[in-house]
Amino acid sequence: MPIYAIEDLHPVVDPTAFVHPTATLIGDVIIGANCYVGPGASLRGDFGRIVMHKGANIQDNCVAHSFPNQDCIVEEDGHIGHGAVLHGCTIGRNALVGMNSVIMDKAIIGADSLVAACSFVKGNFTCPPRSLIAGTPAAIKRTLSDKEVEWKTNGTQEYQHLSTRCHSSLQEVEALTTVQDQRPRFIQSTHSPKTKN
């Protein structure tokens, strides 16, 4: 995978984390235990520090960056959806940033909150825990229910499990030229194909 030091700062990746081979890590990036970084993600620690705490995920084609002396932080069990952009912000414990959302400098997304897909969160925005945030610019819409927080937590656990699955079975292969008979499907994340082709 493309991992680059800049000056004297090398990225740090916990051995239990999974970083896809097409993700790029530059400089002052710290990735904690059981994290997942998806294909095409760019974590550019060439000005400010980027930190992913235990169990967090940053999915496909996300960008994380910051200004000097300012950290971009995804706290424990934070969940960053496909294509999101984080710039110098803090995503609270067990919070979710929806696909293609943008979270700007010094914004703080409270624990157990959910930022709706395609939202734009202005700099210096702060929300309390368990908030539903949506819009352009984003605003607090309401408090999340226990069921909604549980749904989010379960989704993040799937990505934590995906890190383990990738460590044990992800491999670069040649594509098949035809679909095999009785091709298996992923019914659930714990799926283990009985046949291997």
Side-chain angles (χ1 to χ4, degrees), residues 130-142:
R130 296 179 69 109
S131 297
L132 173 62
I133 303 142
T136 302
I140 298 168
K141 300 300 182 181
R142 61 178 172 81

Side-chain angles (χ1 to χ4, degrees), residues 2 41 48 71 73 77 79 84 87 96-97 122 136-138 157 188 195:
D71 295 348
I73 300 170
D77 298 332
H79 189 111
H87 204 278
L96 181 148
V97 174
K122 289 182 177 181
T136 302
Q157 288 170 350
Q188 55 190 1
T195 59

Side-chain angles (χ1 to χ4, degrees), residues 8-9 37 43 48 62-63 79 87-88 107 112 117 119 122 152 158 176 183:
D8 59 352
L9 283 168
V37 179
L43 282 65
C62 290
V63 173
H79 189 111
H87 204 278
D112 299 316
S119 295
K122 289 182 177 181
K152 185 272 158 205
E158 294 291 340
L176 302 175
R183 181 178 174 89

Side-chain angles (χ1 to χ4, degrees), residues 43-136:
L43 282 65
R44 269 186 54 210
D46 48 14
F47 292 121
R49 178 171 292 170
I50 298 167
V51 181
M52 292 179 69
H53 288 278
K54 179 181 178 183
N57 70 74
I58 292 182
Q59 297 172 22
D60 320 43
N61 300 317
C62 290
V63 173
H65 193 244
S66 196
F67 290 128
N69 297 313
Q70 189 171 312
D71 295 348
C72 183
I73 300 170
V74 181
E75 293 184 355
E76 186 170 342
D77 298 332
H79 189 111
I80 312 302
H82 316 292
V85 175
L86 307 180
H87 204 278
C89 57
T90 298
I91 308 304
R93 186 196 58 75
N94 201 42
L96 181 148
V97 174
M99 293 182 274
N100 291 314
S101 291
V102 176
I103 316 295
M104 292 302 294
D105 299 278
K106 298 183 181 178
I108 299 172
I109 305 302
D112 299 316
S113 292
L114 192 156
V115 178
C118 299
S119 295
F120 178 80
V121 177
K122 289 182 177 181
N124 297 304
F125 176 93
T126 299
C127 72
R130 296 179 69 109
S131 297
L132 173 62
I133 303 142
T136 302

